[in-house]
Amino acid sequence: MAQAPQTLDALAVRTWCGLALRALGRAREEIDAINVYPVADGDTGTNLYLTLESAATAVEAVFAGYGTGSAEPSLADAVRAMAHGALIGARGNSGTILAQLLRGMAQELADDSPHGQDGTGGTGSADSTPGTSGTDGAGLRRALRRAADSAREAVAHPVEGTVLTVASAAAEAAEAAEGDCRAVARAAYEGARAALAATPGQLTVLRRAGVVDAGGRGLVAVLGALVEACTGEAVRETLHAAQAATDAHARVTGVPGGAGAGPWVRAEAAAHAEAATQEEPHPGAATGTAGSTPASCADATGTGGPAFEVIYLLEADDTAVARLRARLDALGDSLVVVGGDGLWNVHVHVDDAGAAVEAGVEAGRPHRIRITHFGLGDVHTGGEQPPRERAQRAVVAVVPGEGLAGLYTEAGATAVLARPGEPPASGELVQAVRRAHAREVVLLPNDAELRHTAAAAAEQARTEGIRVALIPTRSAVQGIAALAVHEPGRRFDEDVVQMTSAAGATRYAEVAVAEHRSWTTAGICQAGDVLGLIDGDVAVIGPDVAATAVTVLDRMLQAGGELVTLVVGDEAPESVADRLEARVRESYLAVDTVVYRGGRQGALLLIGVE
């Protein structure tokens, strides 16, 4: 048994993050299996895990910054890092809400106001030595309350029976507890656990599936880790008899009890099955939505929901974010905007992904944009819909900018955004293949350096019974060419051959700015020089973007071509596309040109010649 701290300090926060990450790692598959709300896309456990992984990594970085000396970070340092890490790494609806819960706690625990000093519940304690400050039970109670309240405020239309309900119950139980952090943490955990068990009685979709809320289940795991961090004792979840619970649920609701869920989840759902038979309020009647009927409520009648999930980080001020909330709320549902101090994480489900991104551009500077296509058959909210059938075939593609992500998703592909300097890992590609929910998947890495990563993802997906073909596209313009000839109705092998042929027949180039002096295949370049790369090698070095791009295009068209594809990045001069189009019209008869806006794609310009 580990020694239990008297206060929650920086080391306890570090321990909590590590324990919570392990707990979510153990429960990830179970949580994914019971994910039916707001979208039955089976990734809540994974999203929670990735969000907390980012938080834990940020905390570890703070401790690493202090080295091996006697000094340690303060509680404020640790919780701020935890909150920031969760914010920038938040995934999905559940991860975004978890990030706000951690931010709410951090705001209270890092508070330097008088109520937090001298052991009365803030960052101060009886030991005021720098670097050793911690909070006692009163401070933890306030932190849990602030976490629950801030998370609820971040959701445009709160719905009861979700992680918000579980968080509020944890805060209420903590407020009723007396004693130090150990007693408060235990009370919060038990309160959350009881609220989780009651969620099937609050949401029809949970009751019909015979499961508890997936996000709430993840929060219970996180709070269980907090108990262990504060007490040194691992919590033990009381297991009911799994079969008896399943039978009881079936008797009361007439629905078998969650075949995909773990026994603890099925038992907790069955324990409250009787409550589930009572008339429940419409989800739109949740706290904070009096007199309103959110867009998501229409989906509870079984009419389906938006096609895309859009997530991005946004640098903007509070006034701009307030306008953004109103605009996104009108565009779709499941809107969650968390953060502050100039940095926000935006999550929304919409039919028009481009409009959601454009709204962010108008509000400030969006980046790390992630667009996911739910696909036909996704259960968007609580409607009674038939079980989702796998599509026969899908395309998964890695793309370098939000503009191309929108283009690919509109064409029916599942897009994985590769941010500059942050290529996706094989696990992220595997998740994208799973989200595509198809028996056959064509994988387009669109980057020569991602070929091995994509191959590993394809191999993993094949072990799960998915037929995956990897087309070694080396640029997004080759992926566009492949996607243009994709025909799901063809035999799989024939489709792959045609897509591979189209990609291989497309020469690719990019125009970028050199970051430092270096040797290239075209000579020595200086920092700030404009580089034209053809098929991956530097072919042109010039001082001007447009002139360099024209030279690159001329060299590519010397070997012939029928179609020029231009993907213009946000940093490129406004006139570059017009100049290149004019060059093609004047000098190359019977060659067509198409222009796309790529957004923040790293390169100033991508060029494809078919």
Side-chain angles (χ1 to χ4, degrees):
M1 180 186 299
Q3 184 177 359
Q6 296 298 313
T7 61
L8 186 71
D9 58 11
L11 184 58
V13 169
R14 182 190 196 185
T15 302
W16 176 30
C17 287
L19 292 171
L21 188 61
R22 286 194 287 274
L24 287 174
R26 292 191 300 268
R28 180 184 62 79
E29 291 185 1
E30 175 187 302
I31 297 172
D32 282 346
I34 64 171
N35 172 200
V36 297
Y37 183 89
V39 179
D41 49 356
D43 62 359
T44 289
T46 300
N47 287 338
L48 289 170
Y49 179 86
L50 293 173
T51 301
L52 196 56
E53 182 181 47
S54 182
T57 299
V59 172
E60 289 299 323
V62 167
F63 273 84
Y66 278 79
T68 57
S70 58
E72 292 182 355
S74 66
L75 173 61
D77 291 335
V79 295
R80 284 171 180 152
M82 174 184 69
H84 182 73
L87 178 67
I88 64 174
R91 303 290 186 93
N93 185 284
S94 56
T96 308
I97 293 174
L98 176 61
Q100 187 67 1
L101 287 166
L102 296 180
R103 177 178 170 80
M105 291 191 70
Q107 286 175 321
E108 184 64 36
L109 296 175
D111 189 0
D112 295 323
S113 60
H115 74 253
Q117 303 301 322
D118 301 326
T120 59
T123 59
S125 69
D127 183 357
S128 59
T129 304
T132 61
S133 59
T135 192
D136 63 2
L140 183 56
R141 284 194 291 270
R142 285 196 300 273
L144 290 167
R145 167 49 62 193
R146 190 161 181 177
D149 290 347
S150 62
R152 189 171 287 272
E153 291 167 1
V155 177
H157 301 287
V159 173
E160 297 305 336
T162 65
V163 63
L164 298 177
T165 305
V166 176
S168 294
E172 291 168 5
E175 287 172 332
E178 296 182 358
D180 59 15
C181 289
R182 293 170 292 189
V184 172
R186 282 196 187 98
Y189 170 73
E190 293 299 336
R193 195 165 175 272
L196 175 66
T199 55
Q202 297 171 294
L203 274 179
T204 301
V205 64
L206 301 179
R207 183 178 75 239
R208 288 172 176 162
V211 297
V212 295
D213 178 67
R217 172 68 180 93
L219 180 57
V220 167
V222 172
L223 291 174
L226 178 62
V227 173
E228 185 173 355
C230 290
T231 66
E233 300 175 358
V235 298
R236 294 184 179 180
E237 296 167 345
T238 303
L239 294 175
H240 299 243
Q243 188 58 51
T246 302
D247 292 344
H249 184 272
R251 283 196 304 272
V252 174
T253 66
V255 179
W264 182 81
V265 176
R266 292 197 302 269
E268 292 294 354
H272 287 261
E274 184 173 358
T277 64
Q278 300 172 0
E279 184 176 355
E280 62 184 84
H282 192 281
T287 301
T289 62
S292 66
T293 303
S296 59
C297 291
D299 303 316
T301 65
T303 58
F308 300 104
E309 177 185 59
V310 179
I311 305 174
Y312 49 81
L313 289 179
L314 177 70
E315 295 176 14
D317 59 36
D318 292 2
T319 302
V321 169
R323 292 194 300 268
L324 175 66
R325 286 179 189 268
R327 181 170 178 187
L328 292 180
D329 195 26
L331 285 174
D333 63 22
S334 296
L335 174 61
V336 185
V337 181
V338 304
D341 302 320
L343 182 63
W344 309 81
N345 191 303
V346 179
H347 171 282
V348 68
H349 295 171
V350 293
D351 279 322
D352 190 343
V357 174
E358 289 173 6
V361 173
E362 292 178 3
R365 191 179 79 86
H367 53 104
R368 293 196 181 186
I369 299 167
R370 190 177 298 113
I371 301 173
T372 302
H373 183 250
F374 291 129
L376 295 177
D378 274 315
V379 180
H380 187 71
T381 54
E384 183 177 6
Q385 299 185 13
R388 181 184 179 192
E389 293 291 336
R390 283 187 178 274
Q392 182 60 35
R393 190 173 308 158
V395 176
V396 173
V398 181
V399 292
E402 62 272 14
L404 283 177
L407 175 67
Y408 272 75
T409 52
E410 287 174 9
T414 297
V416 179
L417 190 63
R419 298 163 291 276
E422 298 180 40
S426 61
E428 190 171 352
L429 296 185
V430 172
Q431 283 299 113
V433 170
R434 291 171 182 154
R435 287 199 309 271
H437 203 65
R439 298 181 182 89
E440 302 166 341
V441 173
V442 180
L443 184 56
L444 306 175
N446 291 340
D447 187 334
E449 295 183 0
L450 283 177
R451 182 171 180 176
H452 294 299
T453 300
E459 189 61 33
Q460 173 61 37
R462 291 183 188 116
T463 66
E464 300 176 10
I466 305 171
R467 189 180 183 188
V468 181
L470 171 62
I471 298 178
T473 49
R474 293 170 290 174
S475 170
V477 291
Q478 288 189 322
I480 291 173
L483 197 57
V485 300
H486 167 55
E487 290 187 13
R490 263 193 308 233
R491 288 179 58 249
F492 184 62
D493 292 339
E494 292 177 359
D495 197 29
V496 171
V497 168
Q498 292 299 320
M499 294 177 72
T500 302
S501 177
T506 302
R507 299 191 70 193
Y508 65 97
E510 68 176 72
V511 177
V513 176
E515 296 181 355
H516 48 75
R517 184 177 188 272
S518 62
W519 290 88
T520 75
T521 51
I524 300 175
C525 73
Q526 306 293 331
D529 282 348
V530 180
L531 307 179
L533 294 85
I534 300 177
D535 294 335
D537 293 323
V538 177
V540 181
I541 301 175
D544 178 73
V545 174
T548 301
V550 168
T551 302
V552 168
L553 183 59
D554 285 340
R555 292 194 183 185
M556 295 179 74
L557 287 173
Q558 284 175 358
E562 297 176 354
L563 176 66
V564 172
T565 300
L566 305 175
V567 183
V568 185
D570 283 353
E571 304 299 323
E574 289 290 334
S575 61
V576 66
D578 292 338
R579 183 167 175 182
L580 291 174
E581 285 187 285
R583 179 68 173 178
V584 172
R585 283 195 306 270
E586 295 166 1
S587 303
Y588 302 96
L589 298 178
V591 177
D592 294 325
T593 306
V594 60
V595 180
Y596 301 111
R597 295 292 168 181
R600 293 174 177 83
Q601 61 185 21
L604 299 176
L605 178 69
L606 300 178
I607 304 174
V609 174
E610 299 178 46

